[in-house]
Amino acid sequence: MKRFIHILLLVITSTSYCQSSGILSGKVTDSLTGEPLIGATIQINNTTSGTITNEMGFYQIQLKYGPSQLKVSYIGYTQQIIEITIPDIKKLDIPLVLSPVQADEVVVTVDNPKENVEGIGIGNVELSMKEIKKLPALMGETDFLRIIQLSPGVQSANDANMGFYVRGGGADQNLILLDNVPVYNPSHILGFFSVFNSDVIRSTKLIKSGMPANYGGRISSIIDITSRDGDFEEFHSQGSVGLLLSKLTIQGPFVKNKVSFLLSMRKSYIDEVMKPIANSMFDISSTFYGNTKYSFLDINGKFSFRLSPKHNLSFTAYNGKDDFSLIKLEPDFSNSMNWGNQLYSLNWNYHVNADWNIQSTLGYTKYNFGLDASQKNVFISMKSAVNDYIFRTEVSKAGYNGQIIKFGAEHYFHKFTPNNLDASTNGQELAFGSNRNLNAHESSLFYNHEINLGTRFRLNLGARYTYYMHVGSYYKIIKNEIGEIADSIYYEPGEIVESYQSPEPRISARYQVNGLSSIKASYTLNKQYIHMVSSSAVTLPTDVWLPSTSLIKPQWGQQYTVGYYRNFMDNSYETSISLYYKDYYNQIELLKGIISNFQDNIFEESATFGRGYSFGAELFVQKSVGNFTGWVGYTLSATYRKFKEINQGKIYPAKYDRRNDLNVVVSYDLNKKWNASATFILASGNALSLPSYLYILEGNVISGYSERNSFRMPLYHRMDLSLTYLARKTEKFESSFNLSVYNVYNRANPFYIYFEITGNVYDYNLKITPKQVSIFPILPSITWNFRF
């Protein structure tokens, strides 16, 4: 009876409260462009109660009847205080004015602590570029891809590689988009820097799980990057001068408030700096650095058009190129490599009304790689490329019950050039079969619906349907019972060789326990129709992209995630713990080296396919308020692979399997002029295969292997420090200096391990010694940053 009375009182109290309060909803937008402001804060003044806008800029907040005062704020915009009376007003759209002083501030993702609890995203880390610029920069260059690798569940390949692995997925399973167009190779200098210039980035979003249906084509993660528009009112310039590279960005109006431009360029001068450092540290001027030449250049451009209050058009262009050469490492030896990305994106955005929005994209992207090598009288030339032609349209509708509906379509035409190989010896051409391109169409329809169910529960339901076609021109090889080529079938250009189709369901949910904590869960199934293959036998960046064919099946994966999110001390501290499990199917490996596999162009028969799985737990603690900020991220995980023709069909650790990964990031504002920051990384070594025994055959030492990836690299750890001094800041000019030290205590982290063999078996003095190769010693740098 007492329990019944208690429940009845709760119901009566709750009902009374609902009857004495109302719901206010609306949209927060940019006052000039009308674009929605994602993650803007709407707070009841002088309280801790409030909410944030969703990805369409909409908000919904419960207010008591009578007058209330709302404080509306967003990074880089002038804060508004609004008086409102409930229930007289039920809908209020709020345009915010860009703050003149902070007009050039770049936001990487929404830095709003309430999003940690109230948002439906699971496992995503939120940072602002303002905070990232305070962190230690490798040779003075702020690189958000390296900062992303400090997030739990995201692991870097090694020091000299910008490739990264998300929750056990391969490097090819991450979709990196720049203004809705993919970037296939995000690296400069063999992974030293990324191709993304931080001065042209407006925002970026990392999705590790719970991938919405409007994203597809990869099975691990999405990094969605949007470039900045140029200033529509005034001309500005900014840039930096560092030890390895310099950059300059200019922007301004062609037609005031109608047409703007932004142009940016980065250029390296690495040889003049790296060679003296490497030679003094390692005394290797005669073997490596002393014989290399390296440079890179990239250019970004964007033109933005305000056609009308409802229509916006933008054109983005990117062109980047790397050139590397290594000469006379041995007598008469030389090689040269060049690789780069080209990207063009035309985006039309139509704000139909306050609820409806349409965005369409025409795009083109290209990645190409070339290698020319010679030794004595042998010459080899190898080229590979991938070209994508893209059309995409997305319709968004926002409702006032927290609803966000997105639906649309996209189409990719893929054109792959695997490895076109030419070689000669003593002037005699060697035959490797005819070179060929591989073409494919990939079309998708998607629908995504996000909605509040009551005040605590939010649900995101989505579905994606993809139809894929491998098309001619194409020669399909037919072999007889003993493996000899017996016949071939020719497919005309555009003729379907093989096709695949599949639905991809997505679901995410959030239950808000109270104002400071929530529970989130998600399930996603993703298909991926392109593959990247690599070989440990080739240490150069010769990774090759391949489409699905009749023999190469599409890879697919599914992920289950659950997490608990909690904020502390008036949202000053954000914490979360997430658990995940992932399955992978139709994973690809080459049984021989890449060059060997393409000698006869029947590469499909040189591949083997298997499955994999990964699981882990991620812990994240972040402080984003006050002079002292930063985060701690820890991941405990395992990643395994199983192939019938590898490791005798037994399960083995993936090469990027790491049991433990700890990242610590701290930043402290000493005063208005000085900031100090540091990062520390501690991680288990990568798995690798080493000889478990040796034997002698006809006077030669032969290595024997047992279990695949049964050895571990030594522990990886590194600390970086940074000190930033703001020399001057006015509305017209800003100048600062950054001193960074990469690898402060000069840790020789392993890049790879090889065996040095000296002596010979006949003299009984054979000696085999393992050797570790490390890449980066301690690297200090100083950079001058300016803006006017």
Side-chain angles (χ1 to χ4, degrees), residues 175-187:
L175 178 61
I176 303 175
L177 297 170
L178 176 60
D179 288 346
N180 299 318
V181 175
V183 177
Y184 276 88
N185 187 331
S187 299

Side-chain angles (χ1 to χ4, degrees), residues 43 45 68-72 78-83 96:
Q43 185 175 357
N45 209 16
S68 295
Q69 192 177 68
L70 298 180
K71 181 168 63 176
V72 185
T78 302
Q79 179 179 284
Q80 283 196 33
I81 304 295
I82 299 173
E83 299 282 350
L96 292 183

Side-chain angles (χ1 to χ4, degrees), residues 161-206:
N161 199 317
M162 195 54 68
F164 57 95
Y165 309 104
V166 178
R167 292 182 170 177
D172 64 325
Q173 296 172 359
N174 306 307
L175 178 61
I176 303 175
L177 297 170
L178 176 60
D179 288 346
N180 299 318
V181 175
V183 177
Y184 276 88
N185 187 331
S187 299
H188 278 313
I189 320 181
L190 304 174
F192 206 78
F193 297 125
S194 80
V195 300
F196 300 107
N197 182 345
S198 60
D199 288 349
V200 303
I201 295 173
R202 173 188 167 193
S203 65
T204 188
K205 176 166 53 178
L206 168 66

Side-chain angles (χ1 to χ4, degrees), residues 444-458:
S444 301
L445 299 173
F446 59 84
Y447 179 86
N448 205 81
H449 194 162
E450 188 173 337
I451 188 171
N452 286 324
L453 301 177
T455 59
R456 294 178 182 267
F457 194 74
R458 186 163 182 82

Side-chain angles (χ1 to χ4, degrees), residues 250-261:
I250 58 174
Q251 60 176 311
F254 275 134
V255 180
K256 193 171 183 179
N257 292 322
K258 293 290 185 179
V259 183
S260 72
F261 75 93

Side-chain angles (χ1 to χ4, degrees), residues 130-148:
K130 181 180 179 181
E131 295 302 318
I132 287 178
K133 286 186 175 181
K134 297 178 182 178
L135 301 180
L138 179 57
M139 300 307 293
E141 177 67 4
T142 301
D143 199 320
F144 80 89
L145 272 189
R146 286 199 175 272
I147 302 300
I148 283 176

